[in-house]
Amino acid sequence: MKVSHQFTYLTLLTLKKLISSLSERNKFKVSIYLGKVFFNILKLRRTVAEKNLKNAFPDWSHEKINLILERTYIFFCSNLINFISFPYSWKNIQFSVSGKNFLEDSFSSGKGIIMITGHFGSWEVLGKWLGDYAELFVGIAFRQKNIGAHRFFIEQRELSNTKHIFKRESFDKMYDVLKQNGILGLVSDQDAGKRGVFVNFFGIPASTPKGVALFHVNKKSPMIFATCVQEGLLKYKIEFVPISCTEKTIKSITQEYTQILENYIRKHPEQYFWFHKRWKTVKL
């Protein structure tokens, strides 16, 4: 590991120790401060986020877009701080769960579950709940270029029994999770380039990964969309929605769960990660 990567890892461990010593209210105060700094001063990826919000909500005023965007910065700063302070931030968390019966019914098929989510809500907290609930929960993840950061983030996620398979690893590993009747988790809402399938997202064609649909077509495993909405300090609502479109094509499957994601975003726009170039690839 490079010296710079080692430094990153040690810095994150130090931050974890410092942040974990704060009360929940003080962590939230820090989140507000950092969110305002990122929004007003550093303006990190603000241009991209503003453009995405204008695409999604063309009728919104400039003032409303700025209000939601500032709340988005604060929300994800809070998410990051809570994630860095795992497992200490799990103390006193309150969950309400809807649709758990869909998980239980799906396990009865013996074909595992394809779990879909997006960069929405508190997905790291969702991973913690699933890691505790399922005998086998494996998420497909990207390898970060900075090995120190990669090591820290993977270690944090695996505190809750979450396992990982990384992009470009053997598909056999992924299929094996389903074969063992486990949950295979995919975050499927980033631009997929020319290899993706175009579906409507806020009425605009968006290139979307085919992975979810391909896994289902090949293995017939049940598909469930999952969200974790933060409803207050230490309060989270997890919901599971089955994907049961009658037309089992790559496009129809992808469109159905993308529409479900959009519906959630419309209810809680400040909890969506608007900083990705979601409509980067243009449909010809």
Side-chain angles (χ1 to χ4, degrees):
M1 189 187 300
K2 293 180 180 179
V3 174
S4 60
H5 294 181
Q6 292 177 336
F7 178 76
T8 299
Y9 180 69
L10 293 174
T11 299
L12 287 169
L13 286 178
T14 302
L15 276 174
K16 175 178 178 174
K17 186 174 182 180
L18 291 172
I19 293 172
S20 297
S21 66
L22 299 176
S23 69
E24 293 304 322
R25 293 195 177 277
N26 283 336
K27 281 193 286 188
F28 187 62
K29 288 179 181 179
V30 172
S31 302
I32 293 174
Y33 174 77
L34 289 176
K36 290 181 179 293
V37 168
F38 282 121
F39 175 72
N40 293 303
I41 301 174
L42 298 179
K43 299 182 179 180
L44 186 65
R45 298 188 74 84
R46 180 168 165 175
T47 301
V48 172
E50 284 180 343
K51 183 178 180 181
N52 284 339
L53 275 165
K54 288 177 183 177
N55 284 340
F57 302 100
D59 295 333
W60 280 8
S61 66
H62 179 71
E63 290 74 21
K64 184 169 184 178
I65 287 176
N66 279 341
L67 175 64
I68 294 299
L69 189 52
E70 183 178 40
R71 290 176 179 174
T72 301
Y73 277 102
I74 293 170
F75 177 78
F76 283 104
C77 283
S78 178
N79 265 8
L80 180 61
I81 285 174
N82 285 333
F83 174 70
I84 289 174
S85 58
F86 280 1
Y88 305 97
S89 56
W90 295 341
K91 187 179 180 181
N92 299 322
I93 278 184
Q94 298 176 39
F95 288 111
S96 64
V97 183
S98 174
K100 187 177 176 182
N101 58 300
F102 296 125
L103 289 179
E104 295 165 353
D105 292 344
S106 295
F107 276 128
S108 65
S109 73
K111 297 179 180 179
I113 296 173
I114 302 167
M115 181 74 66
I116 314 112
T117 191
H119 290 88
F120 171 80
S122 301
W123 63 81
E124 300 291 3
V125 175
L126 172 64
K128 178 262 187 299
W129 189 92
L130 287 168
D132 289 343
Y133 168 79
E135 292 186 14
L136 179 62
F137 170 58
V138 181
I140 298 178
F142 285 99
R143 291 186 185 275
Q144 297 188 45
K145 293 181 180 179
N146 186 307
I147 298 174
H150 176 80
R151 176 182 172 185
F152 177 82
F153 283 104
I154 293 302
E155 287 177 351
Q156 286 297 96
R157 290 182 182 126
E158 292 188 347
L159 286 170
S160 64
N161 299 318
T162 298
K163 302 295 187 293
H164 291 87
I165 296 173
F166 299 102
K167 293 280 188 179
R168 298 183 181 178
E169 284 197 280
S170 169
F171 279 101
D172 289 340
K173 288 186 177 182
M174 303 174 194
Y175 284 121
D176 191 52
V177 174
L178 300 174
K179 188 176 181 180
Q180 294 180 61
N181 205 25
I183 298 176
L184 182 66
L186 298 94
V187 181
S188 189
D189 67 332
Q190 286 184 282
D191 184 276
K194 295 179 180 178
R195 294 184 178 181
V197 57
F198 281 92
V199 296
N200 287 329
F201 185 53
F202 287 91
I204 305 170
S207 175
T208 307
K210 299 177 181 178
V212 169
L214 287 173
F215 280 121
H216 176 73
V217 169
N218 291 334
K219 300 301 290 185
K220 303 299 185 292
S221 301
M223 299 174 290
I224 294 179
F225 189 88
T227 59
C228 180
V229 174
Q230 185 169 3
E231 297 189 313
L233 194 63
L234 298 175
K235 293 183 179 180
Y236 298 89
K237 183 174 184 179
I238 292 174
E239 294 188 5
F240 298 106
V241 181
I243 309 299
S244 55
C245 52
T246 54
E247 187 182 351
K248 302 294 186 180
T249 65
I250 301 298
K251 185 169 183 175
S252 62
I253 291 169
T254 309
Q255 181 65 74
E256 180 168 338
Y257 72 72
T258 300
Q259 185 60 57
I260 293 172
L261 172 62
E262 179 183 324
N263 294 341
Y264 277 105
I265 296 170
R266 288 186 179 277
K267 294 177 184 177
H268 307 279
E270 76 286 351
Q271 296 194 31
Y272 187 60
F273 198 80
W274 295 104
F275 308 103
H276 290 148
K277 293 182 179 180
R278 186 63 187 93
W279 293 282
K280 179 180 178 180
T281 303
V282 178
K283 186 178 181 180
L284 300 177

